[in-house]
Amino acid sequence: MIWEIDERARTIEGLDGAGRPRPEYAASLGLIRAPYGRRVLATVIEALVLLLVQLPMLLVVLPAVTGAALDADPVAALAGRDDLVLLIVLGAASSVLSTAFVLVQLILLGRRGVTLGKALTGLRTVNVRTLERPGFWRGAVVRYLVMGASMLVPLVGPLLVIALSPLFDPARRGRSWADLAAATWLVDARRGLNPYDEKRMRIARKTVATDLLDVKTELPSLATPVAPTGAGAYVPLARNKGGVLGAVRSTPGNVVIGETDAVDDEPRSGIPTMVAPAPFATPDPAPAAEPPLPAGVPAPAAVAPGAIVAPAAGAAAWSPPPLLEEPAAAPPAPVAPAAPQAAASVPPMATPPTASDAVALTLDSGDTIAVSGGGVVLGRAPATGPGDVDVLPVPVVDPTRSISKTHWALLRQDGRVVALERGSTNGSVLVRGGAEQALEPGRPVEVRDGDTIRFGDRHAVVAIR
């Protein structure tokens, strides 16, 4: 038996067509660039620790060696010192401790993206392309070589390479020249996602990769249509590890619901397909057959519906032949009226808005969004759909990531102002007068002045003037 080994290259997420990292992908995962102040503080801490380790060498050994070098016979002058053994011990200790400190820094940086200064300031270093550990040779050794080379020009070199170069990053990600050479990126693990928290990082990647609305073009339906004439519109309802639970509206009277497979267009085996009739599609009852007329009785003339016709003079009233008598059914028992229940939806509008009214949204943060043109669509990174005309995407900051990339929209349709849920993960709720109504994906709901739309952990108040 011949075993074939899959040698396909690993697919790296978050790269553009040229293989360059996309900053918006890292931002969608929750990664935040390291603030400039803490970057400098981390470098200063590491430099102070290294200086502390080097103090015996700088304060004791170096002055003694310098004084002996100025003597006519440096070797004899150094060998004749009474503290020669102490100088050797202090010099060896400083060298060993400095080497150990730098080596530990390199290993921690290459394996875990952290050093002593970064651990104290809550920063982490990742590979800028893979957003994983930077690696020992390029991510750690090359970085420290560039930083060490900057020391060849005292004061100016470290100031330019370490302190000032992050301010001139063309991608505005705060990467220094050492980061550019090592292909690394410094992120804030306190305010943002820790890239070395494997569980949270895996969930963030799956959330971004499986976002149902992260598409730019209209995709074909994955469900089997009822009628062979058309595929209809695909409406995502839920998702799980096996696929997408969706509905296809192919005819006005039927909806096909079933779990679909991305390989073929048939419903997944083991999951039945249900055909549900439309809620208001009631077939007309078939007309009952009329009894035949007796011999000699002329057929009645055609009469327009609703017309009143008087019987002809001298004509006897004709009645159909008697049917077999059946026992009279008992009169139905009176049914007590049901107790009134609380309304499941919000109360109706008093006065609908007009197309000339000014519409605005006030977020819980206090920001006001003017709704002009065809409307606005909100989310972490919203995208307009194929049917959106003159609709403006408005991104909403959400540190808890409770909002989908494209969550909901406030649109003007046929002189109305409607809220439209775009199939988000956590859904949207319309709040009016203390009553709440969950918005169904793809179904517009008319709103009025003072209504509140709750989406994720955020909410917005509609103002119509």
Side-chain angles (χ1 to χ4, degrees):
M1 179 181 295
I2 300 177
W3 296 90
E4 296 183 357
I5 301 177
D6 188 3
E7 298 181 350
R8 291 179 296 178
R10 173 194 172 191
T11 302
I12 300 177
E13 301 173 348
L15 302 181
D16 58 12
R20 295 170 298 188
R22 294 188 295 119
E24 58 271 16
Y25 175 77
S28 65
L29 295 179
L31 298 178
I32 302 175
R33 74 172 187 176
Y36 179 77
R38 275 193 274 162
R39 284 180 60 105
V40 176
L41 180 59
T43 305
V44 171
I45 291 175
E46 295 171 8
L48 289 178
V49 172
L50 187 59
L51 179 62
L52 181 63
V53 175
Q54 290 286 329
L55 279 180
M57 176 75 73
L58 298 175
L59 298 180
V60 180
V61 178
L62 187 59
V65 173
T66 303
L70 298 177
D71 196 89
D73 189 357
V75 177
L78 187 61
R81 292 181 62 96
D82 297 335
D83 57 350
L84 179 60
V85 177
L86 178 62
L87 294 178
I88 295 175
V89 172
L90 291 178
S94 293
S95 300
V96 171
L97 291 178
S98 300
T99 303
F101 176 75
V102 173
L103 186 59
V104 171
Q105 291 279 91
L106 290 174
I107 295 175
L108 289 177
L109 181 60
R111 300 286 297 177
R112 300 299 300 173
V114 67
T115 58
L116 177 62
K118 295 176 179 59
L120 295 177
T121 55
L123 305 180
R124 298 294 184 271
T125 302
V126 295
N127 184 287
V128 71
R129 298 179 74 250
T130 63
L131 302 180
E132 298 173 352
R133 63 183 186 180
F136 177 77
W137 291 108
R138 183 173 183 181
V141 175
V142 172
R143 177 186 176 86
Y144 269 76
L145 286 177
V146 174
M147 295 175 64
S150 67
M151 304 291 181
L152 298 177
V153 182
L155 188 60
V156 177
L159 181 64
L160 182 61
V161 174
I162 300 175
L164 298 181
S165 60
L167 302 177
F168 303 103
D169 182 10
R172 299 182 179 275
R173 306 182 77 178
R175 300 176 63 201
S176 65
W177 290 351
D179 292 324
L180 295 176
T184 56
W185 182 39
L186 205 57
V187 299
D188 187 356
R190 287 182 181 174
R191 296 188 301 127
L193 174 65
N194 184 357
Y196 293 94
D197 188 339
E198 297 181 359
K199 181 178 180 181
R200 293 184 60 193
M201 192 69 175
R202 184 171 60 253
I203 293 174
R205 288 183 183 272
K206 286 185 177 181
T207 301
V208 174
T210 59
D211 198 325
L212 293 178
L213 295 177
D214 191 16
V215 293
K216 300 300 182 183
T217 58
E218 185 176 359
L219 298 179
S221 170
L222 298 179
T224 304
V226 176
T229 56
Y234 173 67
V235 182
L237 299 180
R239 61 179 180 232
N240 56 23
K241 292 187 292 185
V244 177
L245 184 63
V248 164
R249 305 181 185 278
S250 59
T251 60
N254 297 301
V255 175
V256 175
I257 302 176
E259 188 173 1
T260 60
D261 198 330
V263 178
D264 50 25
D265 290 336
E266 296 297 330
R268 190 183 297 273
S269 60
I271 300 178
T273 301
M274 300 170 288
V275 179
F280 299 103
T282 304
D284 297 332
E290 297 182 358
L293 298 175
V297 177
V303 181
I308 300 176
V309 180
W318 176 84
S319 60
L323 302 177
L324 295 178
E325 295 184 0
E326 296 181 357
V335 179
Q341 299 179 354
S345 60
V346 298
M349 295 178 56
T351 303
T354 63
S356 60
D357 291 335
V359 182
L361 278 176
T362 302
L363 299 178
D364 49 7
S365 60
D367 299 331
T368 301
I369 303 171
V371 181
S372 59
V376 294
V377 55
L378 288 80
R380 294 197 324 270
T384 57
D388 293 334
V389 179
D390 196 14
V391 176
L392 178 65
V394 178
V396 179
V397 178
D398 180 28
T400 62
R401 296 182 62 82
S402 62
I403 304 176
S404 298
K405 296 182 68 175
T406 304
H407 202 106
W408 71 287
L410 188 70
L411 307 174
R412 290 179 177 270
Q413 292 183 354
D414 301 329
R416 303 181 304 159
V417 179
V418 298
L420 181 62
E421 163 66 27
R422 290 296 179 90
S424 61
T425 303
N426 294 327
S428 305
V429 177
L430 170 63
V431 182
R432 178 185 300 165
E436 298 183 356
Q437 175 183 351
L439 303 183
E440 299 180 8
R443 181 180 178 183
V445 176
E446 193 168 359
V447 298
R448 68 178 180 184
D449 180 47
D451 287 348
T452 299
I453 305 296
R454 189 173 68 245
F455 55 106
D457 294 339
R458 305 293 302 273
H459 66 271
V461 180
V462 182
I464 302 176
R465 298 289 185 270

